[in-house]
Amino acid sequence: MPDPALRHSKTHPAGLYFIAAAQGAWYFSRYSTQAILVLYLAHVVYTAPQGGAFPGVDTLRRLLSWEAETSNPQALASTTIGLLALCMIPTQILGGFLSDRFLGRRYGAMTGLIFLTLAPIFWAFDTSFILALPCFVLGLSFAVNLFAQVGDLYADDDPRRPDAYQIMSLVQEAAVIIGPTFCGWLAARYGWHYGFAAAGSVMLAGTLAYGMGWRHLPSPAPSRDGARGRGSSPLALLRLGGRIALLIPMLAMIFICNEQIYDTYLIWGEQHYNRHLFGWVFPASWLMSLDAGVSFITQIMAIAFWRQYTKRRGAPGEWGQIVSFGGLGLLAPLVLACASAVHTGPEQISMVWGLMFHFVNDLAMATIMPISLALFIRLAPGNAKSMAAAAYALVARLADIMAGQIGQNLPSWGSIRFWLLHTAVMGIGLALLIIARPLYKTGKLPT
């Protein structure tokens, strides 16, 4: 339980720093491997002869044949990322349910960290490549407990709570800057397996750090009556669940361009950007690190902006923040559509356009993502925080699926149509969010 005596202290609980260490390792490993994985699938795994060095991949290829051309490695790679996201939808809900009701958030988070450690280690060897896929899915499904654990450290009215989430956000962004840069360089310089192995080593260190801080970590007792809070009628809980479920597809449409950065965008950037840097062509995986670096800056800008806004006009509403910055996010794919229209010849697109794209997208996401997470956590009963965190994670998973579906059509559609479709999907999601606003006038249910 949070200590009320420390509510007005500027010092954060020790558990925050152990959670931050695990979270940083998770993001380092996840985005490093995801940056490498989509390229590795397109250039190595799906170009290897069938019955070769990757046991089980032939079965996966046949499974994907209903959705993508088996002769097109790029389409298979995008569809595989989408399939992973699709598998996470039921497993993340299950992971949140098991953690809330049986495991507790501490053991649930540790389960996720162990699976996330195994995934890049398995990816580092051809013969165990296929085993990494379920480990990756299960790891992300349980690791979302870390988000809920940060909230467990503080009372709802503790003024240190927003600052704690900002600390976590900055740690995540720093990890995403360093991870794909370092692991991408290793993969390009020494081979793909070295990049995966480095990600696994950092993930192992983060898991061990989490275990070392075990006694400092919050561990609320699991709820034996499910997600139902005392004082909440079944009908009210059903309405609340419906409102949360309705948010997922609307936000996913707004997130689609941001999630495309971790999917087909890397392949698109490899083909279209002028990536020469001082006479050297930097790896396409570094585009993810570029995005993280820009995101780190825009996170600081967003924090400063909203603090000044609050001083002058009072605390802003969650809905207004999401909608206003969602409108800004519509411009991001338009930047790349314009760049593609301007560069219709054989010349490659300048990275100046890329910087503009990342700045606009990340400035919008710097507000939308943390505020959306706060909205999900606020709506949920106190004994269903893990499931609320899992529900929020489904926003990105659904956006991953949509990004993968759009991405597999890039070769036939062309760049302009490809990016304009992102703007259209985001615009529909934003319009639906505005229409649905009256359904969210009430707060969370009592627990």
mmCIF file of all heavy atoms in Angstrom, residues 362-409:
data_model
loop_
_atom_site.group_PDB
_atom_site.id
_atom_site.type_symbol
_atom_site.label_atom_id
_atom_site.label_comp_id
_atom_site.label_asym_id
_atom_site.label_seq_id
_atom_site.Cartn_x
_atom_site.Cartn_y
_atom_site.Cartn_z
ATOM 1 N N ASP A 362 5.670 12.531 -33.572
ATOM 2 C CA ASP A 362 6.059 12.341 -32.174
ATOM 3 C C ASP A 362 5.530 13.443 -31.281
ATOM 4 O O ASP A 362 5.251 13.210 -30.100
ATOM 5 C CB ASP A 362 7.589 12.260 -32.070
ATOM 6 C CG ASP A 362 8.142 11.011 -32.718
ATOM 7 O OD1 ASP A 362 7.355 10.100 -33.015
ATOM 8 O OD2 ASP A 362 9.362 10.947 -32.953
ATOM 9 N N LEU A 363 5.385 14.651 -31.813
ATOM 10 C CA LEU A 363 4.800 15.727 -31.019
ATOM 11 C C LEU A 363 3.346 15.405 -30.692
ATOM 12 O O LEU A 363 2.883 15.643 -29.570
ATOM 13 C CB LEU A 363 4.889 17.058 -31.777
ATOM 14 C CG LEU A 363 4.462 18.306 -30.994
ATOM 15 C CD1 LEU A 363 5.334 18.488 -29.750
ATOM 16 C CD2 LEU A 363 4.527 19.539 -31.887
ATOM 17 N N ALA A 364 2.631 14.834 -31.656
ATOM 18 C CA ALA A 364 1.246 14.436 -31.400
ATOM 19 C C ALA A 364 1.183 13.279 -30.400
ATOM 20 O O ALA A 364 0.412 13.306 -29.430
ATOM 21 C CB ALA A 364 0.567 14.040 -32.713
ATOM 22 N N MET A 365 2.022 12.247 -30.604
ATOM 23 C CA MET A 365 1.994 11.069 -29.734
ATOM 24 C C MET A 365 2.481 11.369 -28.320
ATOM 25 O O MET A 365 2.085 10.687 -27.373
ATOM 26 C CB MET A 365 2.854 9.962 -30.350
ATOM 27 C CG MET A 365 2.291 9.334 -31.611
ATOM 28 S SD MET A 365 0.707 8.480 -31.336
ATOM 29 C CE MET A 365 -0.374 9.508 -32.336
ATOM 30 N N ALA A 366 3.320 12.398 -28.155
ATOM 31 C CA ALA A 366 3.830 12.754 -26.826
ATOM 32 C C ALA A 366 2.699 13.140 -25.882
ATOM 33 O O ALA A 366 2.824 13.008 -24.661
ATOM 34 C CB ALA A 366 4.839 13.900 -26.935
ATOM 35 N N THR A 367 1.603 13.615 -26.419
ATOM 36 C CA THR A 367 0.424 13.914 -25.605
ATOM 37 C C THR A 367 -0.590 12.784 -25.644
ATOM 38 O O THR A 367 -1.112 12.362 -24.609
ATOM 39 C CB THR A 367 -0.236 15.224 -26.091
ATOM 40 O OG1 THR A 367 0.616 16.327 -25.770
ATOM 41 C CG2 THR A 367 -1.589 15.429 -25.429
ATOM 42 N N ILE A 368 -0.860 12.260 -26.838
ATOM 43 C CA ILE A 368 -1.952 11.291 -26.987
ATOM 44 C C ILE A 368 -1.685 10.011 -26.199
ATOM 45 O O ILE A 368 -2.569 9.507 -25.490
ATOM 46 C CB ILE A 368 -2.156 10.944 -28.473
ATOM 47 C CG1 ILE A 368 -2.615 12.182 -29.236
ATOM 48 C CG2 ILE A 368 -3.189 9.831 -28.628
ATOM 49 C CD1 ILE A 368 -2.663 11.983 -30.737
ATOM 50 N N MET A 369 -0.464 9.468 -26.277
ATOM 51 C CA MET A 369 -0.210 8.158 -25.670
ATOM 52 C C MET A 369 -0.281 8.176 -24.144
ATOM 53 O O MET A 369 -1.011 7.364 -23.559
ATOM 54 C CB MET A 369 1.123 7.604 -26.173
ATOM 55 C CG MET A 369 1.139 7.383 -27.680
ATOM 56 S SD MET A 369 2.615 6.600 -28.323
ATOM 57 C CE MET A 369 2.212 4.878 -28.052
ATOM 58 N N PRO A 370 0.439 9.072 -23.434
ATOM 59 C CA PRO A 370 0.317 9.034 -21.968
ATOM 60 C C PRO A 370 -1.065 9.418 -21.463
ATOM 61 O O PRO A 370 -1.538 8.874 -20.463
ATOM 62 C CB PRO A 370 1.393 10.025 -21.496
ATOM 63 C CG PRO A 370 1.673 10.893 -22.671
ATOM 64 C CD PRO A 370 1.453 10.051 -23.871
ATOM 65 N N ILE A 371 -1.726 10.359 -22.153
ATOM 66 C CA ILE A 371 -3.062 10.755 -21.712
ATOM 67 C C ILE A 371 -4.055 9.623 -21.930
ATOM 68 O O ILE A 371 -4.964 9.394 -21.117
ATOM 69 C CB ILE A 371 -3.515 12.029 -22.452
ATOM 70 C CG1 ILE A 371 -2.566 13.195 -22.128
ATOM 71 C CG2 ILE A 371 -4.936 12.403 -22.060
ATOM 72 C CD1 ILE A 371 -2.424 13.492 -20.654
ATOM 73 N N SER A 372 -3.908 8.890 -23.025
ATOM 74 C CA SER A 372 -4.786 7.740 -23.269
ATOM 75 C C SER A 372 -4.597 6.668 -22.200
ATOM 76 O O SER A 372 -5.567 6.083 -21.708
ATOM 77 C CB SER A 372 -4.504 7.142 -24.652
ATOM 78 O OG SER A 372 -4.737 8.077 -25.672
ATOM 79 N N LEU A 373 -3.331 6.395 -21.848
ATOM 80 C CA LEU A 373 -3.052 5.430 -20.783
ATOM 81 C C LEU A 373 -3.677 5.883 -19.473
ATOM 82 O O LEU A 373 -4.306 5.088 -18.760
ATOM 83 C CB LEU A 373 -1.544 5.240 -20.626
ATOM 84 C CG LEU A 373 -1.099 4.360 -19.452
ATOM 85 C CD1 LEU A 373 -1.674 2.951 -19.568
ATOM 86 C CD2 LEU A 373 0.431 4.302 -19.386
ATOM 87 N N ALA A 374 -3.525 7.162 -19.146
ATOM 88 C CA ALA A 374 -4.115 7.692 -17.908
ATOM 89 C C ALA A 374 -5.633 7.543 -17.929
ATOM 90 O O ALA A 374 -6.257 7.250 -16.896
ATOM 91 C CB ALA A 374 -3.721 9.159 -17.732
ATOM 92 N N LEU A 375 -6.247 7.747 -19.092
ATOM 93 C CA LEU A 375 -7.696 7.608 -19.204
ATOM 94 C C LEU A 375 -8.134 6.173 -18.944
ATOM 95 O O LEU A 375 -9.103 5.925 -18.222
ATOM 96 C CB LEU A 375 -8.136 8.055 -20.603
ATOM 97 C CG LEU A 375 -9.633 7.938 -20.926
ATOM 98 C CD1 LEU A 375 -10.458 8.806 -19.982
ATOM 99 C CD2 LEU A 375 -9.896 8.325 -22.371
ATOM 100 N N PHE A 376 -7.428 5.197 -19.513
ATOM 101 C CA PHE A 376 -7.766 3.787 -19.288
ATOM 102 C C PHE A 376 -7.637 3.425 -17.813
ATOM 103 O O PHE A 376 -8.516 2.762 -17.248
ATOM 104 C CB PHE A 376 -6.849 2.899 -20.133
ATOM 105 C CG PHE A 376 -7.344 2.626 -21.517
ATOM 106 C CD1 PHE A 376 -7.354 3.622 -22.473
ATOM 107 C CD2 PHE A 376 -7.816 1.371 -21.875
ATOM 108 C CE1 PHE A 376 -7.804 3.389 -23.750
ATOM 109 C CE2 PHE A 376 -8.275 1.119 -23.159
ATOM 110 C CZ PHE A 376 -8.273 2.136 -24.103
ATOM 111 N N ILE A 377 -6.529 3.835 -17.188
ATOM 112 C CA ILE A 377 -6.308 3.505 -15.781
ATOM 113 C C ILE A 377 -7.350 4.176 -14.900
ATOM 114 O O ILE A 377 -7.855 3.593 -13.934
ATOM 115 C CB ILE A 377 -4.889 3.933 -15.353
ATOM 116 C CG1 ILE A 377 -3.826 3.153 -16.151
ATOM 117 C CG2 ILE A 377 -4.688 3.714 -13.866
ATOM 118 C CD1 ILE A 377 -3.831 1.666 -15.924
ATOM 119 N N ARG A 378 -7.717 5.406 -15.218
ATOM 120 C CA ARG A 378 -8.706 6.127 -14.415
ATOM 121 C C ARG A 378 -10.082 5.494 -14.501
ATOM 122 O O ARG A 378 -10.830 5.441 -13.512
ATOM 123 C CB ARG A 378 -8.786 7.590 -14.864
ATOM 124 C CG ARG A 378 -9.783 8.432 -14.074
ATOM 125 C CD ARG A 378 -9.777 9.879 -14.509
ATOM 126 N NE ARG A 378 -10.236 10.036 -15.879
ATOM 127 C CZ ARG A 378 -11.529 10.045 -16.236
ATOM 128 N NH1 ARG A 378 -12.470 9.843 -15.327
ATOM 129 N NH2 ARG A 378 -11.875 10.239 -17.489
ATOM 130 N N LEU A 379 -10.437 5.005 -15.683
ATOM 131 C CA LEU A 379 -11.757 4.407 -15.852
ATOM 132 C C LEU A 379 -11.909 3.083 -15.112
ATOM 133 O O LEU A 379 -13.016 2.702 -14.736
ATOM 134 C CB LEU A 379 -12.043 4.187 -17.347
ATOM 135 C CG LEU A 379 -12.367 5.423 -18.193
ATOM 136 C CD1 LEU A 379 -12.408 5.061 -19.663
ATOM 137 C CD2 LEU A 379 -13.688 6.045 -17.757
ATOM 138 N N ALA A 380 -10.789 2.363 -14.912
ATOM 139 C CA ALA A 380 -10.873 1.001 -14.383
ATOM 140 C C ALA A 380 -11.049 0.975 -12.869
ATOM 141 O O ALA A 380 -10.536 1.838 -12.159
ATOM 142 C CB ALA A 380 -9.607 0.237 -14.744
ATOM 143 N N PRO A 381 -11.778 -0.031 -12.347
ATOM 144 C CA PRO A 381 -11.820 -0.254 -10.902
ATOM 145 C C PRO A 381 -10.418 -0.565 -10.370
ATOM 146 O O PRO A 381 -9.554 -1.041 -11.114
ATOM 147 C CB PRO A 381 -12.745 -1.467 -10.754
ATOM 148 C CG PRO A 381 -13.533 -1.515 -12.016
ATOM 149 C CD PRO A 381 -12.636 -0.977 -13.078
ATOM 150 N N GLY A 382 -10.212 -0.345 -9.085
ATOM 151 C CA GLY A 382 -8.881 -0.511 -8.504
ATOM 152 C C GLY A 382 -8.341 -1.923 -8.599
ATOM 153 O O GLY A 382 -7.127 -2.117 -8.658
ATOM 154 N N ASN A 383 -9.218 -2.932 -8.610
ATOM 155 C CA ASN A 383 -8.745 -4.306 -8.666
ATOM 156 C C ASN A 383 -8.755 -4.865 -10.087
ATOM 157 O O ASN A 383 -8.783 -6.073 -10.287
ATOM 158 C CB ASN A 383 -9.585 -5.202 -7.740
ATOM 159 C CG ASN A 383 -11.069 -5.090 -8.046
ATOM 160 O OD1 ASN A 383 -11.487 -4.315 -8.896
ATOM 161 N ND2 ASN A 383 -11.861 -5.862 -7.316
ATOM 162 N N ALA A 384 -8.730 -3.954 -11.081
ATOM 163 C CA ALA A 384 -8.653 -4.399 -12.479
ATOM 164 C C ALA A 384 -7.658 -3.545 -13.251
ATOM 165 O O ALA A 384 -7.789 -3.363 -14.448
ATOM 166 C CB ALA A 384 -10.028 -4.332 -13.131
ATOM 167 N N LYS A 385 -6.646 -3.018 -12.547
ATOM 168 C CA LYS A 385 -5.684 -2.138 -13.205
ATOM 169 C C LYS A 385 -4.845 -2.883 -14.235
ATOM 170 O O LYS A 385 -4.494 -2.323 -15.276
ATOM 171 C CB LYS A 385 -4.763 -1.496 -12.162
ATOM 172 C CG LYS A 385 -5.467 -0.606 -11.146
ATOM 173 C CD LYS A 385 -6.113 0.602 -11.798
ATOM 174 C CE LYS A 385 -6.703 1.551 -10.753
ATOM 175 N NZ LYS A 385 -7.397 2.679 -11.372
ATOM 176 N N SER A 386 -4.485 -4.133 -13.955
ATOM 177 C CA SER A 386 -3.687 -4.885 -14.926
ATOM 178 C C SER A 386 -4.468 -5.126 -16.203
ATOM 179 O O SER A 386 -3.928 -5.033 -17.310
ATOM 180 C CB SER A 386 -3.235 -6.223 -14.325
ATOM 181 O OG SER A 386 -2.295 -6.030 -13.295
ATOM 182 N N MET A 387 -5.756 -5.436 -16.060
ATOM 183 C CA MET A 387 -6.575 -5.630 -17.244
ATOM 184 C C MET A 387 -6.752 -4.321 -17.999
ATOM 185 O O MET A 387 -6.819 -4.301 -19.233
ATOM 186 C CB MET A 387 -7.932 -6.224 -16.873
ATOM 187 C CG MET A 387 -7.852 -7.672 -16.413
ATOM 188 S SD MET A 387 -9.481 -8.452 -16.265
ATOM 189 C CE MET A 387 -9.975 -8.527 -17.985
ATOM 190 N N ALA A 388 -6.816 -3.195 -17.278
ATOM 191 C CA ALA A 388 -6.916 -1.894 -17.949
ATOM 192 C C ALA A 388 -5.640 -1.598 -18.727
ATOM 193 O O ALA A 388 -5.684 -1.096 -19.857
ATOM 194 C CB ALA A 388 -7.176 -0.788 -16.921
ATOM 195 N N ALA A 389 -4.469 -1.913 -18.111
ATOM 196 C CA ALA A 389 -3.207 -1.728 -18.820
ATOM 197 C C ALA A 389 -3.123 -2.629 -20.044
ATOM 198 O O ALA A 389 -2.631 -2.229 -21.103
ATOM 199 C CB ALA A 389 -2.028 -2.001 -17.878
ATOM 200 N N ALA A 390 -3.624 -3.869 -19.904
ATOM 201 C CA ALA A 390 -3.651 -4.785 -21.041
ATOM 202 C C ALA A 390 -4.585 -4.279 -22.126
ATOM 203 O O ALA A 390 -4.283 -4.377 -23.326
ATOM 204 C CB ALA A 390 -4.082 -6.179 -20.581
ATOM 205 N N ALA A 391 -5.726 -3.713 -21.720
ATOM 206 C CA ALA A 391 -6.665 -3.165 -22.698
ATOM 207 C C ALA A 391 -6.037 -2.007 -23.451
ATOM 208 O O ALA A 391 -6.192 -1.872 -24.666
ATOM 209 C CB ALA A 391 -7.947 -2.720 -21.996
ATOM 210 N N TYR A 392 -5.296 -1.161 -22.720
ATOM 211 C CA TYR A 392 -4.606 -0.049 -23.398
ATOM 212 C C TYR A 392 -3.561 -0.575 -24.373
ATOM 213 O O TYR A 392 -3.403 -0.048 -25.484
ATOM 214 C CB TYR A 392 -3.942 0.871 -22.371
ATOM 215 C CG TYR A 392 -3.075 1.923 -23.026
ATOM 216 C CD1 TYR A 392 -3.652 3.020 -23.658
ATOM 217 C CD2 TYR A 392 -1.689 1.800 -23.046
ATOM 218 C CE1 TYR A 392 -2.866 3.967 -24.284
ATOM 219 C CE2 TYR A 392 -0.899 2.742 -23.670
ATOM 220 C CZ TYR A 392 -1.491 3.833 -24.289
ATOM 221 O OH TYR A 392 -0.715 4.759 -24.920
ATOM 222 N N ALA A 393 -2.832 -1.620 -23.989
ATOM 223 C CA ALA A 393 -1.818 -2.189 -24.877
ATOM 224 C C ALA A 393 -2.447 -2.733 -26.157
ATOM 225 O O ALA A 393 -1.790 -2.789 -27.208
ATOM 226 C CB ALA A 393 -1.052 -3.300 -24.156
ATOM 227 N N LEU A 394 -3.721 -3.120 -26.087
ATOM 228 C CA LEU A 394 -4.398 -3.624 -27.275
ATOM 229 C C LEU A 394 -4.578 -2.548 -28.332
ATOM 230 O O LEU A 394 -4.740 -2.856 -29.521
ATOM 231 C CB LEU A 394 -5.765 -4.207 -26.902
ATOM 232 C CG LEU A 394 -5.761 -5.471 -26.047
ATOM 233 C CD1 LEU A 394 -7.183 -5.953 -25.819
ATOM 234 C CD2 LEU A 394 -4.940 -6.563 -26.701
ATOM 235 N N VAL A 395 -4.561 -1.285 -27.918
ATOM 236 C CA VAL A 395 -4.652 -0.198 -28.896
ATOM 237 C C VAL A 395 -3.496 -0.298 -29.883
ATOM 238 O O VAL A 395 -3.686 -0.261 -31.106
ATOM 239 C CB VAL A 395 -4.652 1.171 -28.186
ATOM 240 C CG1 VAL A 395 -4.604 2.292 -29.213
ATOM 241 C CG2 VAL A 395 -5.883 1.327 -27.299
ATOM 242 N N ALA A 396 -2.274 -0.420 -29.345
ATOM 243 C CA ALA A 396 -1.104 -0.538 -30.213
ATOM 244 C C ALA A 396 -1.124 -1.833 -31.008
ATOM 245 O O ALA A 396 -0.716 -1.871 -32.176
ATOM 246 C CB ALA A 396 0.176 -0.445 -29.381
ATOM 247 N N ARG A 397 -1.603 -2.935 -30.377
ATOM 248 C CA ARG A 397 -1.650 -4.211 -31.094
ATOM 249 C C ARG A 397 -2.597 -4.137 -32.284
ATOM 250 O O ARG A 397 -2.284 -4.628 -33.377
ATOM 251 C CB ARG A 397 -2.100 -5.325 -30.156
ATOM 252 C CG ARG A 397 -1.247 -5.573 -28.942
ATOM 253 C CD ARG A 397 0.105 -6.161 -29.267
ATOM 254 N NE ARG A 397 1.029 -5.189 -29.840
ATOM 255 C CZ ARG A 397 1.641 -4.228 -29.132
ATOM 256 N NH1 ARG A 397 1.430 -4.112 -27.846
ATOM 257 N NH2 ARG A 397 2.479 -3.400 -29.725
ATOM 258 N N LEU A 398 -3.776 -3.544 -32.091
ATOM 259 C CA LEU A 398 -4.714 -3.418 -33.188
ATOM 260 C C LEU A 398 -4.168 -2.491 -34.263
ATOM 261 O O LEU A 398 -4.343 -2.745 -35.465
ATOM 262 C CB LEU A 398 -6.061 -2.895 -32.664
ATOM 263 C CG LEU A 398 -7.200 -2.789 -33.681
ATOM 264 C CD1 LEU A 398 -7.456 -4.129 -34.353
ATOM 265 C CD2 LEU A 398 -8.473 -2.275 -33.007
ATOM 266 N N ALA A 399 -3.485 -1.424 -33.836
ATOM 267 C CA ALA A 399 -2.849 -0.529 -34.811
ATOM 268 C C ALA A 399 -1.745 -1.266 -35.577
ATOM 269 O O ALA A 399 -1.564 -1.032 -36.778
ATOM 270 C CB ALA A 399 -2.275 0.698 -34.097
ATOM 271 N N ASP A 400 -1.015 -2.159 -34.888
ATOM 272 C CA ASP A 400 0.002 -2.981 -35.561
ATOM 273 C C ASP A 400 -0.630 -3.831 -36.660
ATOM 274 O O ASP A 400 -0.078 -3.973 -37.753
ATOM 275 C CB ASP A 400 0.690 -3.913 -34.552
ATOM 276 C CG ASP A 400 1.718 -3.196 -33.705
ATOM 277 O OD1 ASP A 400 2.186 -2.130 -34.134
ATOM 278 O OD2 ASP A 400 2.048 -3.710 -32.624
ATOM 279 N N ILE A 401 -1.769 -4.430 -36.346
ATOM 280 C CA ILE A 401 -2.451 -5.290 -37.323
ATOM 281 C C ILE A 401 -2.858 -4.479 -38.554
ATOM 282 O O ILE A 401 -2.619 -4.885 -39.699
ATOM 283 C CB ILE A 401 -3.678 -5.959 -36.687
ATOM 284 C CG1 ILE A 401 -3.244 -6.932 -35.577
ATOM 285 C CG2 ILE A 401 -4.506 -6.690 -37.737
ATOM 286 C CD1 ILE A 401 -4.386 -7.456 -34.745
ATOM 287 N N MET A 402 -3.466 -3.321 -38.323
ATOM 288 C CA MET A 402 -3.886 -2.480 -39.440
ATOM 289 C C MET A 402 -2.682 -1.999 -40.246
ATOM 290 O O MET A 402 -2.727 -1.956 -41.487
ATOM 291 C CB MET A 402 -4.702 -1.296 -38.925
ATOM 292 C CG MET A 402 -6.057 -1.692 -38.346
ATOM 293 S SD MET A 402 -7.118 -0.273 -37.979
ATOM 294 C CE MET A 402 -6.235 0.451 -36.589
ATOM 295 N N ALA A 403 -1.597 -1.651 -39.539
ATOM 296 C CA ALA A 403 -0.389 -1.210 -40.239
ATOM 297 C C ALA A 403 0.173 -2.329 -41.105
ATOM 298 O O ALA A 403 0.626 -2.096 -42.235
ATOM 299 C CB ALA A 403 0.658 -0.746 -39.225
ATOM 300 N N GLY A 404 0.153 -3.564 -40.582
ATOM 301 C CA GLY A 404 0.639 -4.691 -41.351
ATOM 302 C C GLY A 404 -0.215 -4.970 -42.574
ATOM 303 O O GLY A 404 0.290 -5.300 -43.651
ATOM 304 N N GLN A 405 -1.540 -4.818 -42.413
ATOM 305 C CA GLN A 405 -2.448 -5.033 -43.535
ATOM 306 C C GLN A 405 -2.200 -4.015 -44.645
ATOM 307 O O GLN A 405 -2.181 -4.356 -45.837
ATOM 308 C CB GLN A 405 -3.905 -4.937 -43.055
ATOM 309 C CG GLN A 405 -4.354 -6.082 -42.191
ATOM 310 C CD GLN A 405 -4.393 -7.397 -42.943
ATOM 311 O OE1 GLN A 405 -4.987 -7.504 -44.006
ATOM 312 N NE2 GLN A 405 -3.739 -8.403 -42.404
ATOM 313 N N ILE A 406 -2.014 -2.764 -44.255
ATOM 314 C CA ILE A 406 -1.727 -1.730 -45.250
ATOM 315 C C ILE A 406 -0.337 -1.937 -45.841
ATOM 316 O O ILE A 406 -0.118 -1.788 -47.043
ATOM 317 C CB ILE A 406 -1.839 -0.332 -44.611
ATOM 318 C CG1 ILE A 406 -3.283 -0.058 -44.186
ATOM 319 C CG2 ILE A 406 -1.372 0.751 -45.582
ATOM 320 C CD1 ILE A 406 -3.475 1.255 -43.450
ATOM 321 N N GLY A 407 0.610 -2.317 -44.981
ATOM 322 C CA GLY A 407 1.998 -2.435 -45.404
ATOM 323 C C GLY A 407 2.236 -3.476 -46.480
ATOM 324 O O GLY A 407 3.085 -3.278 -47.365
ATOM 325 N N GLN A 408 1.499 -4.573 -46.450
ATOM 326 C CA GLN A 408 1.739 -5.622 -47.432
ATOM 327 C C GLN A 408 1.330 -5.195 -48.837
ATOM 328 O O GLN A 408 1.714 -5.818 -49.825
ATOM 329 C CB GLN A 408 1.012 -6.903 -47.034
ATOM 330 C CG GLN A 408 -0.494 -6.811 -47.036
ATOM 331 C CD GLN A 408 -1.142 -8.127 -46.676
ATOM 332 O OE1 GLN A 408 -1.114 -9.063 -47.454
ATOM 333 N NE2 GLN A 408 -1.702 -8.202 -45.481
ATOM 334 N N ASN A 409 0.573 -4.086 -48.960
ATOM 335 C CA ASN A 409 0.150 -3.589 -50.267
ATOM 336 C C ASN A 409 1.044 -2.479 -50.803
ATOM 337 O O ASN A 409 0.770 -1.950 -51.883
ATOM 338 C CB ASN A 409 -1.294 -3.072 -50.185
ATOM 339 C CG ASN A 409 -2.290 -4.170 -49.878
ATOM 340 O OD1 ASN A 409 -2.466 -5.093 -50.663
ATOM 341 N ND2 ASN A 409 -2.926 -4.091 -48.726
#
